[in-house]
Amino acid sequence: MSAAFDAVADAPGRVNLLGEHTDYNDGFVLPVAIRQRTRVSMRRNGTAAFALHAKELAQTVRFSFDEPPTDHFASYVYGCLVLARARRAQIPGLDIEVSSDVPMGVGLSSSAALEVATLRCLRELLSLPFDDVEIAQLAQKAEIEFAHVRCGIMDQMASSLAGTERALLIDTRSLDRRDVPLPLGSVVLVLDSGVARTLAGSGYNQRRGECEAAARQLGVVSLRDVPGLDAIERLPDLLRRRARHVFTENARVLQAAEMTDAAAFGQLMNASHASLRDDYEVSTPELDQLVALLQSHPGVYGARLTGAGFGGACVALCKAQHVQSVADAVLAQYNAAGHKGRQLVP
Ligand code: GLA
């Protein structure tokens, strides 16, 4: 694929600071974009088929609307093409090149970055009238229908609308949003636990089902509508713990969004991790270990697992001047126990 492309677009991954497993409960989230991005380039190829080349995977997949790809990675792009066509876009045959430095499979939304970049590229190529929120909505639909993860809309909204300098508070029910500055003097650090994680194969869809069951038993549309902790007392133990996580996590996001004090913000992140570990049960021993090392370092305000969990990355809010020494010290200790932790951000 050497000839010039007709359109090029990109989109970032994201790290979520607070508000985990709240988005599919109509709740609140607080992600920030990361500097790593996925770039998608497209060129009309004069056929009715698609040739998708993934640069880093050194892999080319060929498919058409009549013959969908079987490859997991290609299904994200295919899903975006199908959904754009369903919105009455006339999609010609295309050579598509994807190149990305968003870490994959660690909870930094590499799939959302791919979907959003694909849709942005299609928007540019075909002058489609999609705004950034519609792009996020289509991207989420592509993930649900073609990658079969019943995800919420946080990742796609973050990839489509968040910047790297400020977090984006999103009400996932109304999609209202506003920028939230990071506490003064703090920097975001992301470390990978080195434990692989696959969303669809994990308990993600199961957790979502449990939240829906809890909401049904409580007679509310979604767990966002739980009025207080008293209300969940009558749920059976497992559903009560799932609902308690969602309720307390929403409260933490709203509190953090008003906070300028890094230490207090960090405490909310620590509490979020405990809740994800004990009530929501999406942590792993390795994530717990890495988070504990981060939390006990004097250069760290707070730390928690980030993304869906079941492996993947942790996020910490660090004192700006100490961020690199925190990363080095914590990784040295963690990897001394035989793990393969690594620094992803900054
Ligand atoms: C994944 C999903 C998001 C969100 C998080 C957990 O990243 O794609 O919609 O549910 O997990 O907060």
Side-chain angles (χ1 to χ4, degrees):
M1 290 195 184
S2 51
F5 289 102
D6 299 325
V8 180
D10 66 2
R14 66 97 187 92
V15 59
N16 189 23
L17 299 183
L18 266 178
E20 221 64 84
H21 292 279
T22 48
D23 62 352
Y24 52 81
N25 291 298
D26 282 351
F28 301 94
V29 293
L30 195 60
V32 60
I34 56 174
R35 65 177 161 74
Q36 289 98 328
R37 304 179 75 86
T38 296
R39 193 179 65 215
V40 173
S41 313
M42 294 178 177
R43 178 177 48 237
R44 290 177 179 82
N45 62 18
T47 74
F50 302 96
L52 171 64
H53 181 69
K55 225 171 161 184
E56 282 72 28
L57 303 176
Q59 190 188 345
T60 303
V61 181
R62 293 171 203 285
F63 59 91
S64 66
F65 283 124
D66 297 331
E67 277 179 78
T70 49
D71 184 277
H72 188 64
F73 151 80
S75 64
Y76 294 108
V77 174
Y78 174 75
C80 292
L81 293 166
V82 170
L83 292 175
R85 188 166 75 149
R87 296 279 304 270
R88 291 197 292 277
Q90 297 283 336
I91 316 247
L94 296 168
D95 291 344
I96 306 171
E97 185 176 278
V98 175
S99 155
S100 180
D101 62 351
V102 181
M104 285 169 60
V106 292
L108 297 182
S109 295
S110 56
S111 58
L114 175 58
E115 292 146 4
V116 171
T118 300
L119 288 163
R120 281 182 174 169
C121 197
L122 280 173
R123 174 171 69 184
E124 190 190 316
L125 181 79
L126 305 169
S127 304
L128 301 176
F130 304 155
D131 67 23
D132 291 341
V133 171
E134 286 173 293
I135 290 235
Q137 288 168 323
L138 282 175
Q140 179 202 19
K141 205 166 166 12
E143 178 108 16
I144 294 174
E145 291 180 8
F146 296 88
H148 309 297
V149 180
R150 295 183 62 218
C151 65
I153 200 164
M154 166 172 66
D155 304 347
Q156 293 78 12
M157 282 292 284
S159 182
S160 188
L161 288 136
T164 54
E165 299 306 312
R166 289 159 161 258
L168 189 66
L169 171 67
I170 307 168
D171 176 338
T172 63
R173 172 172 275 167
S174 64
L175 299 186
D176 283 350
R177 58 207 175 270
R178 74 174 162 84
D179 283 351
V180 173
L182 294 182
L184 211 63
S186 66
V187 159
V188 173
L189 170 69
V190 181
L191 300 181
D192 177 21
S193 68
V195 179
R197 168 217 68 126
T198 57
L199 264 190
S202 69
Y204 185 88
N205 288 344
Q206 188 193 344
R207 292 296 180 285
R208 183 165 181 160
E210 289 162 356
C211 288
E212 286 164 356
R216 255 195 318 276
Q217 291 194 25
L218 294 170
V220 292
V221 173
S222 76
L223 292 181
R224 154 77 173 269
D225 302 312
V226 168
L229 282 177
D230 290 355
I232 63 174
E233 278 312 309
R234 62 189 167 88
L235 288 174
D237 179 60
L238 183 121
L239 296 189
R240 184 170 64 240
R241 286 186 292 117
R242 302 297 190 250
R244 184 164 60 201
H245 166 72
V246 174
F247 181 84
T248 58
E249 186 79 351
N250 276 326
R252 282 186 285 272
V253 174
L254 293 177
Q255 251 184 293
E258 300 305 324
M259 248 166 206
T260 47
D261 178 43
F265 193 113
Q267 289 304 317
L268 293 171
M269 293 174 77
N270 294 347
S272 168
H273 185 77
S275 179
L276 287 160
R277 180 191 60 210
D278 302 335
D279 278 346
Y280 219 67
E281 295 178 288
V282 292
S283 192
T284 65
E286 295 84 359
L287 281 169
D288 290 343
Q289 202 182 336
L290 188 54
V291 165
L293 288 170
L294 284 163
Q295 289 176 349
S296 61
H297 194 291
V300 173
Y301 293 118
R304 54 184 286 277
L305 72 84
T306 188
F310 308 102
C314 304
V315 60
L317 194 70
C318 297
K319 296 181 182 165
Q321 70 276 28
H322 297 311
V323 64
Q324 198 51 53
S325 56
V326 169
D328 295 343
V330 166
L331 283 175
Q333 268 180 287
Y334 179 71
N335 288 341
H339 302 308
K340 294 201 166 17
R342 62 194 168 122
Q343 182 176 346
L344 303 173
V345 177

